[in-house]
């Protein structure tokens, strides 16, 4: 089990504070716009193309953004200040944002160390939020973009930066909880129909094995994880092997309680039970933060 020590948390928070400080120091006072009211900058309009981007934007932006969840067909016509998206989720979205000005487009996972897809090493796996530490980075990325897009950049960078730190704190608390929950697990192999758990597997020392390469009987496995569109075939394979078939929601379109981190916790709860991880407390519904 690879443990991420509290020092990593301290470093990330400090990095966020440094970002705010540097941005404040480089502001051009001659370009100052009207001051903010009650500590809230003038609204930045944000169009989010997927649920993770929407959730992070909502948490970081608060009352200082006008936020909409927008599909690929409407992105080209959107007049939003920022278009937030995660590349690789929807090819139609990827194509739509390719024609937009770079300064309006925010790759929400642009500062995350993305992992190569198991299916195609030339492609990056988009499901970065299954390691909550990446959610902390996503918050910082979007907060910085919102601040730079605001009419009152100096105050906005502070406002969004502080809210991003709050998201980071929640995400790192979830990470610590998952470290405890997955340490130890008696079954280290995650058999998956689709490699959507790549980041979770790497972060918490699981071995992710594609279903197509798995040979029943060679090692103890109690569950096969699948995405919802593959249910019939995977259920048949699981029944033949005498194991359970457990669905994994990729959280690209929504999450329990409209909360990305809660969605990760709920999935982690299912995994912990199926992988024989004895430390299953507290409940995943009792979200830290």
């Amino acid at each position: 089990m690879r443990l991420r020590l509290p020092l990593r948390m301290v470093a990330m928070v400090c990095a966020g504070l440094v970002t705010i400080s540097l941005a404040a120091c480089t502001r051009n006072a001659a370009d100052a716009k009207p001051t903010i009211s009650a500590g809230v900058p003038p609204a930045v309009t944000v169009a989010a193309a997927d649920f993770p981007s929407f959730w992070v934007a909502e948490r970081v932006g608060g009352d200082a953004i006008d936020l909409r969840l927008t599909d690929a067909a409407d992105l080209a016509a959107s007049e939003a200040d920022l278009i937030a998206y995660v590349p690789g989720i929807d090819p139609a979205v990827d194509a739509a944002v390719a024609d937009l000005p770079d300064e309006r487009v925010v790759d929400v996972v642009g500062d995350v160390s993305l992992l190569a897809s198991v299916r195609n090493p030339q492609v990056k796996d988009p499901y970065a939020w299954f390691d909550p530490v990446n959610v902390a980075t996503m918050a910082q990325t979007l907060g910085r973009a919102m601040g730079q897009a605001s009419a009152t950049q100096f105050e906005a960078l502070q406002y969004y930066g502080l809210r991003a730190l709050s998201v980071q704190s929640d995400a790192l608390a979830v990470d610590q909880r998952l470290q405890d929950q997955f340490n130890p697990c008696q079954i280290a192999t995650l058999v998956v129909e689709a490699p959507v758990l790549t980041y979770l597997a790497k972060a918490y020392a699981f071995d992710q094995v594609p279903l197509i390469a798995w040979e029943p009987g060679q090692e103890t496995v109690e569950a096969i994880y699948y995405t919802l569109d593959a249910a019939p075939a995977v259920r048949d394979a699981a029944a033949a092997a005498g194991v359970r078939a457990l669905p994994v929601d990729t959280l690209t379109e929504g999450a329990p309680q409209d909360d990305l981190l809660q969605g990760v916790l709920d999935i982690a709860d299912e995994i912990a039970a199926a992988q024989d991880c004895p430390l299953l407390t507290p409940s995943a519904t009792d979200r830290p933060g």
Side-chain angles (χ1 to χ4, degrees), residues 246-264:
L246 294 178
V248 175
D249 185 348
T250 60
L251 307 177
T252 56
E253 297 182 4
Q257 303 175 35
D258 293 326
D259 188 329
L260 183 67
L261 290 176
Q262 186 63 56
V264 172

Side-chain angles (χ1 to χ4, degrees), residues 96-225:
V97 300
D99 295 328
L100 297 175
D102 289 346
E103 62 271 16
R104 293 181 58 211
V105 176
V106 184
D107 175 353
V108 179
V109 295
D111 295 321
V112 172
S113 296
L114 295 175
L115 302 175
S117 169
V118 176
R119 289 177 169 168
N120 183 354
Q122 303 303 315
V123 175
K124 297 300 185 181
D125 188 324
Y127 306 106
W129 47 90
F130 282 107
D131 179 351
V133 170
N134 292 337
V135 177
T137 302
M138 292 161 65
Q140 183 176 345
T141 298
L142 200 45
R144 182 171 59 249
M146 289 176 182
Q148 292 171 344
S150 175
T152 56
Q153 192 174 105
F154 177 80
E155 295 87 351
L157 282 166
Q158 295 181 73
Y159 176 88
Y160 296 121
L162 290 173
R163 291 185 64 91
L165 288 177
S166 177
V167 178
Q168 290 173 9
S169 177
D170 285 352
L172 294 175
V174 170
D175 169 58
Q176 184 61 56
R177 219 280 286 291
L178 296 189
Q179 289 186 45
D180 296 338
Q181 191 169 27
F182 291 138
N183 182 23
C185 292
Q186 301 304 312
I187 302 173
T189 300
L190 293 176
V191 179
V192 297
E193 164 269 327
V196 298
L197 297 175
T198 302
Y199 292 92
L200 184 143
K202 180 177 175 59
Y204 305 109
F206 289 107
D207 180 20
Q208 182 177 233
V209 176
L211 175 58
I212 194 171
W214 177 58
E215 297 184 14
Q218 285 196 343
E219 53 191 318
T220 301
V221 169
E222 295 184 1
I224 296 174
Y225 302 94

